[in-house]
């Protein structure tokens, strides 16, 4: 178990990590997600004791990394962004060195090295010089170094970077296999990777914890609005007239309709209560028929973008807590609306593909 | 520590570096041994080493320059410092490894007094000769520890090598510089001021804080001026003395002349400790900034 409390790291005037607090529980796969330069690597480097913190504390299995570094480091295996490999050694020599460095008892060293190589499928490369290996193999040697001696916690910084699709799938499998016995923390700036392997996601932006939770929780709690696609038998003006009086709707977007005499509209509403019911009742009263209605839930990618792109006030402002910004969003321009609809279409495509 | 020691020693001998340095060393020592001791019929191995020791300036940085600079460039230091070992263990592992490589030619040098003694008429001064070998070996260790310190300051081994050579060269020239400096109080104050300035620049590089470094310089200068006003006689030839106190070569030369001094051994060991300690501080500083 790792506890991180009020972690701050400053480089001169620049604050790389600003008051991070979170807990990592045993046996789960954690994902650090954030754009480049969000402070993911810095946080990880502090967690394994490579960097010191300006303030705050990190406690690994009861050992404070800054006070009892040796004890704390014993519990952790680490794969940095650039695998720390000595090019002038063979894979086996290197891993034997790491086992020695990690104080794996002499008798168990050979077995530990062989197991680590088997786990990452590099046994065939055991006697090759590391400098002659491809990027994918180097990454795997780095991973086998991290899992060597079976530390309880394995920290992987951008483990998939530079791998080809096949290798990424293999890496995911290795991580899944490891997660049966170990706590894993990995970082990435790519959503799909995190989604594919993690139980718990920590979204970091500008050195701060922007959000955390399971992928489902994130999709639920952070979705500050609901979106409903509606097809109505009737003209655009008639539909608009009915929708005007439904509470909580803050935006209506009309879409081109394929069927004659029908209107498609995408409705954005506050998340207070299910808007579909009010819509249904309103249309029932007005005697216009609803031909179709479907709720659209955002995926993690949208949430990630929403949280990490602060400039994009349009999206952020839909959070219901902030009343000021909600009014702002009513003046969404047609252009922005078009962009939005595009995103939705892409999303629908993605879902249908899946 | 043993893991790092073993890896480093092995690294010297998987690349050509270890063999080359040992080869060059042995060739030069052999050359001087032949010229000075065998052909020149000089009984003192110390004198031979004294001649060869000027080559420490270039050879030793070649051995020490990559030790930390290369780790920092390849980012392999992340492995070392995320492993359950202390920083000092890493430093000592590397230091003992480079000392081991450096000691290989010295083991051969140890046979030289035996060779000469077979030609000697009368009692051969073994003690003086072995004491000389010891002191030159220790001096080499000091220069290697200095090289490690410089290597920890940069991530380019070329820069580390060149700076080490420059610093070693300065140390080599130290007693000559000391002898040409005028003994007047003013010259000493100027000299000490320059040292103070260099010290404050180092402080600034180390702490990245211009206020502290500037304040240290101003306070230091004020004390100097105050002392000069109060009693200028203490400054007479002081700078020369300071410079010659860091002259490793003149101290080693005393051993060649047969003056064995425990003080000198302590002096060299203290320098080794100081440089390795500063290396640790340097690495700690990297963690904090």
């Amino acid at each position: 178990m790792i506890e991180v409390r009020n972690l701050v790291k400053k480089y001169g005037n620049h604050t790389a990590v600003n008051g991070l607090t979170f807990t990592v529980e045993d046996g789960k796969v954690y994902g650090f997600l954030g754009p480049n330069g969000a402070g993911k690597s810095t946080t990880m480097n502090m967690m394994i004791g490579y960097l010191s913190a300006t303030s705050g504390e990190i406690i690994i299995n009861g050992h404070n990394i800054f006070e009892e570094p040796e004890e704390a480091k014993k519990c952790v295996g680490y794969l940095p962004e650039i695998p720390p490999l000595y090019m002038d050694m063979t894979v086996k020599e290197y891993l034997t060195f790491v086992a020695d460095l990690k104080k794996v008892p002499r008798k168990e060293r050979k077995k530990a090295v062989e197991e680590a190589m088997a786990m990452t499928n590099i046994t065939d490369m055991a006697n090759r010089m590391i400098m002659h290996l491809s990027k994918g193999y180097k990454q795997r040697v780095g991973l086998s170094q991290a899992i060597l001696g079976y530390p309880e916690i394995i920290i992987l910084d951008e483990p998939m970077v530079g791998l080809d699709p096949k290798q990424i799938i293999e890496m995911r499998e290795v991580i899944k296999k490891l997660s049966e016995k170990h706590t894993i923390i990995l970082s990435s700036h790519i959503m799909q990777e995190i989604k594919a392997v993690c139980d718990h996601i920590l979204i970091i932006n500008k050195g701060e914890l922007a959000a955390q939770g399971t992928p489902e929780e994130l999709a639920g709690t952070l979705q500050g609005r609901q979106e409903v696609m509606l097809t109505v038998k009737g003209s655009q003006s008639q539909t608009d007239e009915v929708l005007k009086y439904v509470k909580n709707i803050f935006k209506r977007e009309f879409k081109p309709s394929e069927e004659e005499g029908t209107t498609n509209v995408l409705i954005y509403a506050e998340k207070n209560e299910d808007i579909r019911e009010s819509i249904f009742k309103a249309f029932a009263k007005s005697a216009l028929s609803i031909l179709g209605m479907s709720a659209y839930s955002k995926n993690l990618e949208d949430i990630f973008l929403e949280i990490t792109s602060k400039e994009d006030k349009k999206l952020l402002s839909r959070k219901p807590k902030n009343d000021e910004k909600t009014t702002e969003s009513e003046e969404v321009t047609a252009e922005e609306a078009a962009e939005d609809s595009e995103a939705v279409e892409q999303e629908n495509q993605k879902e249908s593909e899946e | 520590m043993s893991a790092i020691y073993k890896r480093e020693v092995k690294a010297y001998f998987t690349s050509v570096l270890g063999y080359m340095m040992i080869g060059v060393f042995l060739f030069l020592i052999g050359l001087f041994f032949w010229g000075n001791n065998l052909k020149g019929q000089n009984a003192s191995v110390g004198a031979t080493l004294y001649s060869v020791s000027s080559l420490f300036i270039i050879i030793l940085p070649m051995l020490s320059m990559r030790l930390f600079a290369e780790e920092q460039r390849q980012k392999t230091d992340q492995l070392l410092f995320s492993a359950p070992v202390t920083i000092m263990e890493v430093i000592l592992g590397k230091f003992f490894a480079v000392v081991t490589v450096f000691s290989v030619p010295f083991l051969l040098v140890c046979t030289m007094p035996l060779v000469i003694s077979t030609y000697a008429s009368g009692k051969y001064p073994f003690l003086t000769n072995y004491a000389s070998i010891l002191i030159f070996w220790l001096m080499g260790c000091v220069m290697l520890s200095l090289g490690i310190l410089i290597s920890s300051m940069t991530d380019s081994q070329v820069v580390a090598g060149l700076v080490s050579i420059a610093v070693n060269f300065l140390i080599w020239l130290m007693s000559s510089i000391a002898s040409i400096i005028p003994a007047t109080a003013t010259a000493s104050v100027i000299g000490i001021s320059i040292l103070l300035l260099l010290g404050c620049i180092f402080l600034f590089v180390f702490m990245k804080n211009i206020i502290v470094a500037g304040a240290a310089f101003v306070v230091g200068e004020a004390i100097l001026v105050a002392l000069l006003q109060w009693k200028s006689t203490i400054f007479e030839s002081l700078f020369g003395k300071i410079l010659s106190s860091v002259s490793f070569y003149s101290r080693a030369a005393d051993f060649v002349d047969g003056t064995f001094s425990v003080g000198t051994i302590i002096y060299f060991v203290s320098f080794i400790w100081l440089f390795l300690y500063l290396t640790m501080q340097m690495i700690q500083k990297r963690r904090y900034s």
Side-chain angles (χ1 to χ4, degrees), chain B residues 2-76:
Chain B
S2 69
I4 290 157
Y5 172 79
K6 276 185 270 178
R7 197 207 87 78
E8 289 297 338
V9 172
K10 214 171 172 188
Y12 278 116
F13 294 108
T14 43
S15 71
V16 73
L17 187 72
Y19 296 106
M20 205 171 77
M21 286 305 134
I22 291 171
V24 168
F25 227 131
L26 284 177
F27 171 74
L28 291 168
I29 291 175
L31 199 68
F32 278 91
F33 178 65
W34 175 75
N36 190 22
N37 298 113
L38 300 182
K39 201 149 187 293
Q41 302 199 335
N42 183 340
S44 168
V45 176
T48 305
L49 282 176
Y50 188 77
S51 314
V52 177
S53 67
S54 53
L55 294 158
F56 283 13
I57 295 170
I58 296 165
I59 291 173
L60 297 185
M62 301 255 179
L63 286 175
S64 62
M65 65 184 186
R66 51 169 273 281
L67 284 171
F68 279 101
E70 193 63 9
E71 301 266 5
Q72 276 150 11
R73 194 178 68 84
Q74 302 265 20
K75 309 269 181 215
T76 43

Side-chain angles (χ1 to χ4, degrees), chain A residues 1-5 22 24 47 57-68 72 153:
Chain A
M1 184 161 136
I2 303 178
E3 284 170 77
V4 175
R5 291 193 206 120
F22 59 85
V24 172
M47 285 166 78
E57 52 186 15
I58 297 169
I59 292 154
I60 298 175
N61 286 352
H63 305 288
N64 188 319
I65 189 83
F66 303 122
E67 281 159 21
E68 309 169 82
I153 300 154

Side-chain angles (χ1 to χ4, degrees), chain A residues 204-223:
Chain A
I204 295 173
N205 190 36
K206 300 195 172 143
E208 286 169 24
L209 190 62
Q212 65 166 320
T214 62
E216 296 77 31
E217 274 172 6
L218 279 180
T221 58
L222 281 160
Q223 193 178 343

Side-chain angles (χ1 to χ4, degrees), chain A residues 229-282:
Chain A
M229 189 69 192
L230 193 67
T231 311
V232 180
K233 191 173 178 185
S235 71
Q236 187 167 322
S237 56
Q238 282 173 310
T239 312
D240 205 26
E241 195 62 29
V242 177
L243 286 173
K244 243 185 227 170
Y245 298 105
V246 180
K247 273 184 190 168
N248 285 335
I249 292 181
F250 61 77
K251 201 173 115 190
R252 304 176 290 275
E253 256 173 49
F254 289 95
K255 309 272 177 186
S257 165
E258 288 136 30
E259 259 180 284
E260 190 83 4
T262 65
T263 305
N264 283 347
V265 60
L266 183 63
I267 295 160
Y268 295 91
E270 303 291 5
K271 207 185 149 41
N272 310 350
E273 55 186 59
D274 197 336
I275 195 74
R276 287 177 295 184
E277 218 176 327
S278 338
I279 294 173
F280 173 77
K281 282 177 183 162

Side-chain angles (χ1 to χ4, degrees), chain A residues 26-281:
Chain A
D26 289 338
K28 281 190 187 170
V29 182
Y30 283 77
F32 276 16
L33 184 64
N36 289 323
K40 302 186 297 281
S41 293
T42 311
T43 307
M44 287 187 154
N45 275 329
M46 284 191 281
M47 285 166 78
I48 51 94
Y50 176 67
L51 289 178
S52 73
T54 310
S55 68
E57 52 186 15
I58 297 169
I59 292 154
I60 298 175
N61 286 352
H63 305 288
N64 188 319
I65 189 83
F66 303 122
E67 281 159 21
E68 309 169 82
E70 277 93 83
E71 288 302 312
K73 283 172 184 176
K74 269 185 195 163
C75 313
V76 186
Y78 179 48
L79 171 63
E81 208 169 345
I82 300 160
L85 306 173
Y86 292 103
M87 298 299 159
D88 56 351
M89 295 174 109
T90 66
V91 172
K92 202 171 178 178
E93 274 174 355
Y94 170 73
L95 290 176
T96 311
F97 161 67
V98 175
D100 194 359
L101 193 67
K102 286 189 175 180
K103 301 189 173 150
V104 176
R106 186 179 290 273
K107 285 177 206 158
E108 296 160 32
R109 234 173 262 166
K110 201 175 167 226
K111 196 170 154 255
V113 169
E114 275 164 10
E115 281 175 359
M117 287 197 294
M119 197 96 174
T120 48
N121 291 329
I122 50 169
T123 314
D124 298 344
M125 300 290 158
N127 295 315
R128 290 257 202 112
M129 285 283 245
I130 291 176
M131 70 173 113
H132 296 143
L133 296 181
S134 68
K135 165 87 186 161
Y137 271 110
K138 280 181 187 159
Q139 191 77 10
R140 281 196 242 174
V141 176
L143 181 67
S144 64
Q145 164 272 124
I147 65 176
L148 198 80
Y150 297 115
E152 288 161 55
I153 300 154
I154 296 170
I155 299 181
L156 310 170
D157 195 355
E158 307 258 359
M160 323 269 194
V161 162
L163 301 183
D164 64 37
K166 185 168 165 279
Q167 291 168 330
I168 287 178
I169 291 166
E170 282 174 1
M171 185 63 103
R172 277 182 196 164
E173 275 162 12
V174 172
I175 290 172
K176 277 199 180 129
K177 205 156 77 183
L178 285 170
S179 68
E180 289 161 12
K181 287 179 192 160
H182 306 266
T183 307
I184 297 174
I185 303 169
L186 59 91
S187 76
S188 178
H189 57 271
I190 300 163
M191 190 64 233
Q192 283 86 347
E193 280 175 9
I194 293 277
K195 206 172 143 191
V197 288
C198 296
D199 305 318
H200 194 98
I201 299 174
L202 299 147
I203 298 182
I204 295 173
N205 190 36
K206 300 195 172 143
E208 286 169 24
L209 190 62
Q212 65 166 320
T214 62
E216 296 77 31
E217 274 172 6
L218 279 180
T221 58
L222 281 160
Q223 193 178 343
R225 54 178 176 171
Q226 34 185 331
E227 289 170 26
V228 173
M229 189 69 192
L230 193 67
T231 311
V232 180
K233 191 173 178 185
S235 71
Q236 187 167 322
S237 56
Q238 282 173 310
T239 312
D240 205 26
E241 195 62 29
V242 177
L243 286 173
K244 243 185 227 170
Y245 298 105
V246 180
K247 273 184 190 168
N248 285 335
I249 292 181
F250 61 77
K251 201 173 115 190
R252 304 176 290 275
E253 256 173 49
F254 289 95
K255 309 272 177 186
S257 165
E258 288 136 30
E259 259 180 284
E260 190 83 4
T262 65
T263 305
N264 283 347
V265 60
L266 183 63
I267 295 160
Y268 295 91
E270 303 291 5
K271 207 185 149 41
N272 310 350
E273 55 186 59
D274 197 336
I275 195 74
R276 287 177 295 184
E277 218 176 327
S278 338
I279 294 173
F280 173 77
K281 282 177 183 162

